[in-house]
C-alpha cells in the first residue's frame, strides 16, 4: 500500500508540520483555531520566571519606598503641630511643660488647668471627687495589683504644683502676639543619633531645609517675680513687641561680660567680683548678660570630653540675681597672644600641625588659626568627625548639661558663632597677617579642601581653567584702585570674576545653613542669634572690595545680603548687626570711601523686609554722649514708616564695671532711652 494514501501518515505529517511551524494550519483541519502559546521550558523557563519575579519585586520596592515617604511626611506634620502646641503653651500659657514634653504632658497640663487631677499613671478624675478605686484584680495578677495600688497611693499623696490661673499677660496682650505660622518652625521631635555619619548629617540638614519654614521666632521670657513692677511691665511690652514691629519701643539691653572670667581649665576666677559687677548692672536696670562659651576651653584637651564646671558656677550666680542670660557658642579664637588669649582646642591644633589645610589659607599659603576652614565642614578629618559634627556635638553637650536652665527660662537666646569674632564672614581682615584698616583684605580659599570644591564647581560650569583664585587681587592693605581685580572695570565683573565671587559667597551661605540646621535641632524652640558684620569701608566704590573678600557678593549692581537673610529666615533666627558707635571723620570717609549709614540702611531694611527679627551690638567701646546717641538712633530709627526697631541690644565694654567713674550718666541715659521712647 502506498504510504502517501495512508491516513495515519497524513496525521503524522500534519503533526510534524505543526511542530515545525506553529503558524501553519493542519492540512486536515476544516476550521482554523488560535494556537495556544507554548510555555517556555528548561533555561528559558528559569530566565522568564526570574525576569517576572524581578519586575514584581521592583514594583513592590517602589511602592514600599513611596509609602515610607508618605509616612515620613505624615510624621513630620504631626511633630510640627505638636511643636507649635508646646511652644504656644510654654510662651503664652505659662504651662510648666518639660523640655522633652509629649502629647501626654500637654493633655495632663490642660486637664489640670481645667480643674482635673492627673496622677502619674494617667488616672484622671475631678479634683473635688475622690480618687477612683484601683483596677479590678481580673485585669492583672495579684502581684501587679499590689504594685499598681502602691504606685497610685504614692502619686495621690504627692502634691502637684498647680499653675496660677492669673497670668502676667492679660487676654488683650495676646492680640498683638505674633504667633508662629509655619508648621515646621519648631521640630522638637527631631533628633540625631549618637554616632553620626556624613550621610546622616546631610540628611538631617536636608530634613531641616524641609521642616524649617518662614516664620518669626519669639524668645521665651523667664519668671520676673524678683523684678520691680516697672521692669515687669517692660517685659510684658517686650513680649508683645519683641519682633521689632511698631508699638511701644522697649528694647531689652544685655551687657556682655568680660572674657577672662573663666580660665583655660574652665574654672571661675573671681566669683565675688562677678557678683559685684552683676549687682551694679542690675542697679542700672540692665535686662540680662551675655556670656561667651569658648570651644577652646570646654573641649580644650580631649575630643568629646566637655568641661562645664566654671560656666555652671557662673550661671548660678546670674540666676541668683534674677538676670536673663544669652550664651554664645564661640568656635573661634579670642584676642592676641598673652593673658587674654583663648585658642582653638589643643587637640585641634595638634591635628593642624599634621594637616594645616584644616585652617583658612591666603594666596601666599599662610594659615589662619582663628577658626576652622569651611572646606572641612563635611570632610572627616577631625579624628573621625567632620567640622559640622564637631560643632553639633558641642552644642548638644551644652543643651544637655544646662537643660534645667532652659526649662526654667534663664537662657533666653543662643548665639551661634559662624566665623572669626563669631561673625558670619571669612577671616580676610586678620591683624595677625598684617592687615590694617582700611585694607581690602585677601580671599581665604587656598586650603586644599576649598580648592577641591572650587575645582568641582569649575568643571560643572564647563570651565576647568577657572579652578583658581583671582589674580591681581592685591594684598591685605591694598586699595581697590591699586588692583586689576577690584578697580574700575576690573575682573570682578568678568565672566570668571562673577563665577568665582558666586562660588565664594555660596560657601559662606552653605556653612551657615548647615550649622544652623543642626543648631535648630539642638536648641529646638530657643531663640537663635547670628552676628552679621558691618564692612563699611570701600562701600562707596563700585566693587565693594572689602565686602567681597569677607564673603558678601554686594557690588554696586548686586544685593549681596538678601540671599543670606532668606537663609536666616528659613531657620527663624535673629540677626545681630554689629553697629559702629564711632563717628567717621571726613578724612576717613574720603580715604576709605566708607559709608556707615549707607551700609546700615541697606542691611537693616533688607533684613526687616525679609521679616527677620533684628538685634544690635556695638563694635567699639563708647565713652561719650555722641557714641551712645548714635547707637540709640540706629536701634530706633527715627520716622521709620513701619516703626521698626531692634528686638534687643547687646552692649560690650572692654573695661570692667562699665567705667563707672567716667560714663555712668551716659550709660544710665542710654539704657533709659532703649527702654523708653526717643525724645
Amino acid at each position: 500500500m502506498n504510504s502517501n494514501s495512508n491516513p495515519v501518515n497524513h496525521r503524522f505529517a500534519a503533526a510534524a508540520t505543526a511542530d515545525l511551524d506553529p503558524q501553519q494550519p493542519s492540512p486536515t483541519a476544516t476550521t482554523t483555531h488560535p494556537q495556544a502559546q507554548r510555555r517556555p521550558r528548561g533555561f528559558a523557563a528559569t530566565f522568564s520566571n526570574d525576569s517576572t519575579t524581578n519586575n514584581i519585586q521592583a514594583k513592590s520596592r517602589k511602592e514600599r519606598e513611596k509609602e515610607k515617604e508618605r509616612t515620613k511626611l505624615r510624621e513630620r506634620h504631626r511633630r510640627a503641630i505638636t511643636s507649635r502646641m508646646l511652644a504656644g503653651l510654654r510662651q503664652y500659657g505659662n504651662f510648666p511643660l518639660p523640655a522633652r514634653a509629649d502629647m501626654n504632658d500637654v493633655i495632663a497640663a490642660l486637664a489640670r488647668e481645667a480643674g482635673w487631677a492627673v496622677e502619674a499613671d494617667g488616672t484622671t478624675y475631678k479634683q473635688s471627687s475622690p480618687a477612683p478605686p484601683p483596677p479590678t484584680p481580673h485585669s492583672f495578677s495579684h502581684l501587679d495589683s499590689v504594685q499598681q495600688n502602691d504606685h497610685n497611693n504614692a502619686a495621690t499623696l504627692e502634691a502637684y504644683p498647680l499653675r496660677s490661673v492669673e497670668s502676667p499677660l492679660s487676654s488683650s496682650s495676646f492680640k498683638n502676639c505674633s504667633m508662629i505660622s509655619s508648621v515646621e518652625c519648631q521640630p522638637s521631635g527631631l533628633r540625631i543619633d549618637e554616632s553620626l555619619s556624613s550621610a546622616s548629617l546631610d540628611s538631617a540638614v536636608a530634613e531641616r531645609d524641609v521642616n524649617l519654614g518662614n516664620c518669626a521666632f519669639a524668645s521665651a521670657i523667664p519668671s520676673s517675680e524678683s523684678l520691680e513692677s516697672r521692669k515687669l511691665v517692660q517685659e510684658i511690652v517686650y513680649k508683645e513687641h519683641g519682633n521689632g514691629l511698631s508699638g511701644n519701643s522697649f528694647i531689652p539691653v544685655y551687657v556682655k561680660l568680660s572674657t577672662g572670667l573663666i580660665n583655660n581649665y574652665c574654672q571661675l576666677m573671681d566669683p565675688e567680683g562677678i557678683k559685684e559687677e552683676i549687682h551694679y548692672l542690675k542697679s542700672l536696670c540692665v535686662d540680662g548678660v551675655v556670656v561667651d562659651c569658648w570651644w577652646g576651653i570646654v573641649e580644650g584637651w580631649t575630643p568629646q570630653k566637655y568641661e562645664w564646671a566654671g560656666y555652671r558656677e557662673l550661671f548660678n550666680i546670674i540666676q541668683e540675681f534674677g538676670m536673663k542670660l544669652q550664651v554664645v557658642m564661640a568656635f573661634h579664637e579670642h584676642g592676641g597672644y598673652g593673658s587674654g588669649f583663648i585658642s582653638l582646642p589643643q587637640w585641634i591644633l595638634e591635628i593642624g600641625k599634621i594637616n594645616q589645610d584644616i585652617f583658612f589659607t591666603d594666596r601666599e599659603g599662610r594659615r589662619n588659626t582663628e577658626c576652622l576652614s569651611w572646606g572641612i565642614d563635611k570632610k572627616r578629618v577631625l579624628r573621625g568627625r567632620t567640622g559640622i559634627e564637631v560643632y553639633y556635638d558641642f552644642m548638644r553637650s551644652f543643651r544637655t548639661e544646662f537643660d534645667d536652665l532652659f526649662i526654667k527660662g534663664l537662657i533666653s537666646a543662643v548665639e551661634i558663632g559662624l566665623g572669626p569674632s563669631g561673625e558670619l564672614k571669612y577671616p580676610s581682615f586678620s591683624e595677625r597677617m598684617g592687615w590694617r584698616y582700611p585694607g581690602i583684605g585677601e580671599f581665604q580659599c587656598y586650603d586644599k579642601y576649598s580648592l577641591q570644591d572650587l575645582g568641582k564647581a569649575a568643571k560643572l560650569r564647563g570651565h576647568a581653567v577657572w579652578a583658581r583664585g583671582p589674580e591681581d587681587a592685591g594684598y591685605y592693605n591694598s586699595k581697590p584702585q591699586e588692583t586689576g581685580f577690584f578697580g574700575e572695570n576690573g575682573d570682578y565683573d568678568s565672566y570668571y570674576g562673577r563665577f568665582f565671587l558666586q562660588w565664594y559667597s555660596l560657601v559662606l551661605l552653605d556653612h551657615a545653613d548647615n550649622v544652623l540646621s543642626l543648631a535648630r535641632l539642638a536648641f529646638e524652640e530657643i531663640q537663635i542669634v547670628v552676628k552679621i558684620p558691618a564692612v563699611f569701608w570701600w562701600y562707596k566704590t563700585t566693587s565693594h572690595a572689602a565686602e567681597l573678600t569677607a564673603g558678601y557678593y554686594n557690588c554696586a549692581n548686586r544685593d549681596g545680603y538678601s540671599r543670606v537673610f532668606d537663609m536666616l529666615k528659613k531657620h527663624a533666627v535673629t540677626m545681630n548687626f554689629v553697629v559702629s558707635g564711632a563717628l567717621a571723620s571726613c578724612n576717613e570717609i574720603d580715604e576709605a570711601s566708607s559709608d556707615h549709614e549707607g551700609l546700615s540702611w541697606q542691611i537693616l531694611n533688607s533684613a526687616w523686609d525679609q521679616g527677620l527679627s533684628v538685634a544690635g551690638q556695638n563694635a567699639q567701646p563708647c565713652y561719650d554722649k555722641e557714641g551712645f546717641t548714635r547707637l540709640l538712633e540706629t536701634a530706633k530709627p527715627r520716622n521709620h514708616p513701619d516703626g521698626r526697631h531692634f528686638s534687643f541690644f547687646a552692649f560690650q565694654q572692654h573695661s570692667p564695671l562699665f567705667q563707672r567713674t567716667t560714663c555712668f550718666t551716659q550709660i544710665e541715659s542710654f539704657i533709659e532711652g532703649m527702654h523708653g521712647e526717643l525724645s
Side-chain angles (χ1 to χ4, degrees):
M1 181 180 295
N2 190 352
S3 61
N4 292 334
S5 61
N6 192 339
V8 177
N9 293 338
H10 283 294
R11 287 196 296 270
F12 280 115
T17 305
D19 288 339
L20 293 175
D21 187 2
Q23 304 299 328
Q24 179 72 23
S26 173
T28 59
T30 58
T31 59
T32 60
H33 297 283
Q35 184 70 23
Q37 186 176 2
R38 297 179 58 195
R39 291 176 52 190
R41 299 177 181 177
F43 177 77
T46 304
F47 179 78
S48 176
N49 292 337
D50 290 345
S51 300
T52 304
T53 303
N54 291 337
N55 292 335
I56 295 175
Q57 290 178 350
K59 292 181 180 180
S60 178
R61 191 181 306 111
K62 290 181 180 179
E63 290 297 327
R64 288 198 301 269
E65 292 298 329
K66 290 182 180 179
E67 182 60 29
K68 286 182 180 179
E69 291 300 323
R70 289 192 289 266
T71 302
K72 288 181 181 179
L73 290 176
R74 288 193 295 267
E75 181 64 17
R76 290 174 185 171
H77 183 67
R78 184 193 65 78
R79 288 200 304 261
I81 294 176
T82 304
S83 300
R84 284 200 304 168
M85 294 173 61
L86 297 178
L89 292 173
R90 286 195 191 99
Q91 295 177 14
Y92 307 116
N94 198 23
F95 284 95
L97 295 175
R100 302 295 188 272
D102 56 15
M103 288 307 300
N104 290 339
D105 299 313
V106 175
I107 296 173
L110 293 174
R112 293 188 181 100
E113 175 68 14
W116 293 72
V118 181
E119 297 183 358
D121 64 343
T123 304
T124 305
Y125 53 89
K126 272 291 186 181
Q127 188 74 27
S128 57
S129 61
T136 56
H138 68 269
S139 61
F140 43 78
S141 64
H142 177 71
L143 180 60
D144 292 338
S145 176
V146 173
Q147 293 176 348
Q148 183 72 16
N149 290 338
D150 292 343
H151 183 71
N152 291 342
N153 294 335
T156 304
L157 293 176
E158 180 178 345
Y160 188 89
L162 293 177
R163 185 182 72 88
S164 174
V165 176
E166 297 182 356
S167 172
L169 294 177
S170 63
S171 60
S172 62
S173 300
F174 293 102
K175 295 180 181 179
N176 296 327
C177 290
S178 176
M179 299 298 292
I180 300 174
S181 59
S182 174
V183 298
E184 295 90 3
C185 278
Q186 302 179 38
S188 60
L190 293 176
R191 294 290 185 272
I192 292 184
D193 297 334
E194 293 294 329
S195 57
L196 293 173
S197 64
S198 299
S200 64
L201 272 177
D202 291 342
S203 63
V205 171
E207 185 171 341
R208 291 298 308 151
D209 290 343
V210 174
N211 287 344
L212 286 173
N214 298 331
C215 57
F217 212 86
S219 62
I221 295 183
S223 173
S224 56
E225 296 177 356
S226 61
L227 300 179
E228 298 85 352
S229 59
R230 178 174 64 88
K231 292 291 294 297
L232 178 59
V233 173
Q234 291 172 342
E235 290 188 3
I236 294 174
V237 173
Y238 172 45
K239 266 192 172 183
E240 295 181 348
H241 306 288
N243 57 357
L245 294 174
S246 59
N248 191 302
S249 56
F250 172 79
I251 299 178
V253 178
Y254 290 77
V255 173
K256 194 166 188 177
L257 298 183
S258 58
T259 302
L261 302 179
I262 308 288
N263 65 15
N264 289 332
Y265 298 95
C266 203
Q267 298 171 338
L268 190 62
M269 297 300 294
D270 186 12
E272 295 302 321
I274 294 172
K275 291 180 181 179
E276 181 184 357
E277 182 168 0
I278 294 178
H279 177 75
Y280 172 67
L281 296 177
K282 191 173 179 63
S283 68
L284 293 174
C285 292
V286 170
D287 299 276
V289 295
V290 181
V291 176
D292 289 314
C293 294
W294 294 99
W295 179 35
I297 292 178
V298 176
E299 197 184 1
W301 305 101
T302 306
Q304 294 184 285
K305 184 177 181 180
Y306 307 97
E307 180 57 58
W308 298 102
Y311 287 103
R312 169 65 72 175
E313 188 176 355
L314 175 60
F315 294 167
N316 288 339
I317 294 176
I318 296 172
Q319 185 177 13
E320 291 175 4
F321 284 88
M323 302 283 280
K324 299 176 189 176
L325 173 63
Q326 292 187 5
V327 294
V328 180
M329 302 287 99
F331 298 110
H332 59 280
E333 278 184 355
H334 169 73
Y337 294 100
S339 58
F341 177 70
I342 300 177
S343 69
L344 297 184
Q346 294 300 315
W347 60 273
I348 289 287
L349 299 180
E350 291 296 327
I351 296 175
K353 293 178 181 179
I354 302 173
N355 182 9
Q356 296 185 357
D357 287 287
I358 67 173
F359 302 120
F360 282 105
T361 308
D362 63 16
R363 185 177 57 181
E364 296 183 1
R366 291 178 293 181
R367 315 292 182 171
N368 191 322
T369 60
E370 289 184 67
C371 55
L372 293 178
S373 168
W374 301 335
I376 66 169
D377 276 358
K378 296 184 179 180
K379 300 293 191 300
R380 201 167 292 279
V381 295
L382 303 178
R383 296 193 181 180
R385 292 187 293 168
T386 66
I388 57 175
E389 285 179 357
V390 169
Y391 303 141
Y392 175 74
D393 289 342
F394 182 86
M395 294 185 289
R396 180 176 57 181
S397 173
F398 178 85
R399 177 59 195 261
T400 303
E401 176 68 25
F402 299 104
D403 190 62
D404 58 319
L405 302 184
F406 282 100
I407 294 175
K408 294 177 182 178
L410 175 69
I411 301 176
S412 61
V414 178
E415 181 179 309
I416 308 299
L418 294 174
S421 303
E423 302 172 359
L424 180 56
K425 66 179 182 181
Y426 284 90
S428 51
F429 314 122
S430 176
E431 294 184 358
R432 182 185 307 173
M433 300 299 176
W435 174 85
R436 296 294 181 269
Y437 176 85
I440 61 174
E442 288 193 19
F443 291 110
Q444 305 290 315
C445 60
Y446 293 92
D447 62 273
K448 68 178 182 181
Y449 302 106
S450 297
L451 290 177
Q452 289 172 2
D453 292 339
L454 178 58
K456 293 178 182 178
K459 289 181 180 179
L460 288 175
R461 182 66 183 272
H463 298 279
V465 295
W466 287 356
R468 57 178 174 80
E471 299 176 357
D472 195 16
Y475 302 95
Y476 285 102
N477 294 317
S478 298
K479 298 179 180 179
Q481 61 272 21
E482 299 172 351
T483 70
F485 188 80
F486 297 113
E488 293 291 336
N489 300 319
D491 291 339
Y492 78 92
D493 202 29
S494 65
Y495 289 112
Y496 160 75
R498 290 196 293 268
F499 159 77
F500 173 80
L501 294 174
Q502 180 77 15
W503 170 82
Y504 191 70
S505 61
L506 187 61
V507 172
L508 175 143
L509 192 69
D510 288 343
H511 170 73
D513 193 15
N514 292 333
V515 176
L516 291 177
S517 296
L518 299 180
R520 181 56 72 198
L521 291 177
F523 297 114
E524 298 175 324
E525 73 277 5
I526 300 300
Q527 183 184 22
I528 291 179
V529 182
V530 171
K531 191 186 300 182
I532 300 296
V535 186
F536 52 83
W537 55 103
W538 307 116
Y539 185 81
K540 289 185 176 181
T541 62
T542 56
S543 63
H544 293 222
E547 290 174 272
L548 296 184
T549 60
Y552 291 91
Y553 192 2
N554 189 57
C555 302
N557 59 350
R558 179 186 176 91
D559 182 4
Y561 295 96
S562 59
R563 292 183 63 187
V564 176
F565 296 155
D566 281 338
M567 179 271 300
L568 296 181
K569 184 180 180 181
K570 180 181 70 173
H571 297 291
V573 306
T574 296
M575 185 200 76
N576 186 5
F577 179 56
V578 180
V579 182
S580 175
L583 182 63
S585 64
C586 295
N587 292 334
E588 177 187 348
I589 294 176
D590 294 338
E591 179 185 358
S593 297
S594 63
D595 189 356
H596 298 263
E597 291 77 12
L599 178 68
S600 298
W601 187 93
Q602 179 188 359
I603 291 180
L604 295 180
N605 284 281
S606 178
W608 278 324
D609 289 344
Q610 294 287 348
L612 279 179
S613 176
V614 178
Q617 175 178 318
N618 59 308
Q620 297 91 15
C622 290
Y623 301 104
D624 53 18
K625 182 178 180 181
E626 288 75 16
F628 284 109
T629 301
R630 286 177 57 82
L631 294 177
L632 188 58
E633 291 179 349
T634 304
K636 296 182 177 182
R638 293 180 181 272
N639 303 320
H640 194 285
D642 298 323
R644 297 286 189 177
H645 57 78
F646 286 177
S647 59
F648 67 84
F649 193 89
F651 187 87
Q652 58 178 349
Q653 193 82 352
H654 298 305
S655 301
L657 294 180
F658 256 32
Q659 290 285 337
R660 295 185 186 182
T661 59
T662 58
C663 57
F664 177 87
T665 305
Q666 288 84 355
I667 292 173
E668 189 174 32
S669 300
F670 170 73
I671 296 175
E672 289 178 356
M674 286 289 186
H675 286 173
E677 298 288 347
L678 281 175
S679 57

